[in-house]
Amino acid sequence: DQQVKQNSPSLSVQEGRISILNCDYTNSMFDYFLWYKKYPAEGPTFLISISSIKDKNEDGRFTVFLNKSAKHLSLHIVPSQPGDSAVYFCAASALFGGGTSYGKLTFGQGTILTVHP
Amino acid sequence: NAGVTQTPKFQVLKTGQSMTLQCAQDMNHEYMSWYRQDPGMGLRLIHYSVGAGITDQGEVPNGYNVSRSTTEDFPLRLLSAAPSQTSVYFCASSYGFSTWRGAYEQYFGPGTRLTVT
């Protein structure tokens, strides 16, 4: 049972336009969400995160939105650049799960973003 | 800092063989974990450790063993390789308990691509 889903395997965007990557989750215990970016032949790198007490978090060109009632989060990249072309993973965790659930991340399947010049 | 290092980068095994994937970090991180990445599945947690001497199972632990005798090293052992273990393996580390966000903003190694024939 996939608790974190990224339903779009790929997204193609023109340079300078907005990229919107989506993620849905089913576990209502999840209260901390992250986005990771991965280039080919490299490990994922942390991009941005949001806790469930917020509905928006910005870092430069990257903004993450959280809609708790819909169990949905999205990553907006504005403006998109060719260097943003990568696989983007959404991840979730029960921050206050305590005990053995501390630090465990559940990842989505990933979305391949291609930004065309 | 070298960050998180993994060896080997590539490995081919025959069914039934055993081997150890090495992972080391030089950031004095408390938390370390192993993930496997398979097409369409995202990253799935195999085992993790919240500190030296403490390990626990993740989502897909069967067929793998870990130990954490030092803060720096977290090797993953395949006991008897099977074709289903063909995957890309990532080791990750984070600050863990020193900050409530620490366990989640994980630093990943470059990965080991394993093929079992």
Side-chain angles (χ1 to χ4, degrees), chain B:
Chain B
N1 283 353
V4 180
T5 57
Q6 291 184 239
T7 55
K9 283 191 173 13
F10 301 94
Q11 183 70 49
V12 179
L13 289 178
K14 293 191 188 314
T15 297
Q17 288 184 315
S18 62
M19 79 159 295
T20 299
L21 307 185
Q22 300 293 343
C23 174
Q25 53 89 10
D26 61 357
M27 298 173 281
N28 202 30
H29 283 171
E30 293 179 350
Y31 187 94
M32 297 186 74
S33 52
W34 277 101
Y35 294 87
R36 57 178 289 175
Q37 184 192 3
D38 302 294
M41 302 290 289
L43 287 90
R44 291 181 293 169
L45 183 64
I46 304 172
H47 284 285
Y48 67 101
S49 169
V50 298
I54 307 169
T55 64
D56 206 347
Q57 296 181 350
E59 182 185 353
V60 288
N62 292 341
Y64 308 95
N65 268 0
V66 291
S67 60
R68 183 103 178 264
S69 55
T70 67
T71 300
E72 295 77 20
D73 300 298
F74 191 44
L76 178 72
R77 281 182 288 279
L78 279 70
L79 309 171
S80 176
S84 61
Q85 293 179 304
T86 293
S87 187
V88 181
Y89 291 84
F90 291 101
C91 178
S93 73
S94 66
Y95 289 103
F97 293 112
S98 61
T99 160
W100 65 270
R101 288 166 49 180
Y104 304 94
E105 294 172 15
Q106 298 181 11
Y107 295 76
F108 282 81
T112 294
R113 186 174 292 275
L114 176 69
T115 302
V116 182
T117 60

Side-chain angles (χ1 to χ4, degrees), chain A residues 23-101:
Chain A
C23 178
D24 297 295
Y25 62 96
T26 57
N27 188 341
S28 57
M29 296 297 292
F30 288 150
D31 54 12
Y32 192 67
F33 306 90
L34 307 89
W35 286 93
Y36 282 83
K37 175 179 178 180
K38 184 184 178 305
Y39 292 118
E42 294 184 11
T45 54
F46 169 74
L47 193 56
I48 192 169
S49 63
I50 188 168
S51 76
S52 58
I53 61 173
K54 293 185 172 184
D55 53 18
K56 177 182 171 181
N57 189 26
E58 282 183 83
D59 184 0
R61 296 186 296 114
F62 302 91
T63 303
V64 56
F65 295 92
L66 175 63
N67 182 333
K68 289 189 294 292
S69 60
K71 293 192 176 67
H72 176 84
L73 65 156
S74 60
L75 175 68
H76 292 210
I77 306 174
V78 184
S80 301
Q81 299 173 354
D84 295 329
S85 297
V87 179
Y88 288 79
F89 289 100
C90 167
S93 187
L95 181 66
F96 297 106
T100 58
S101 66

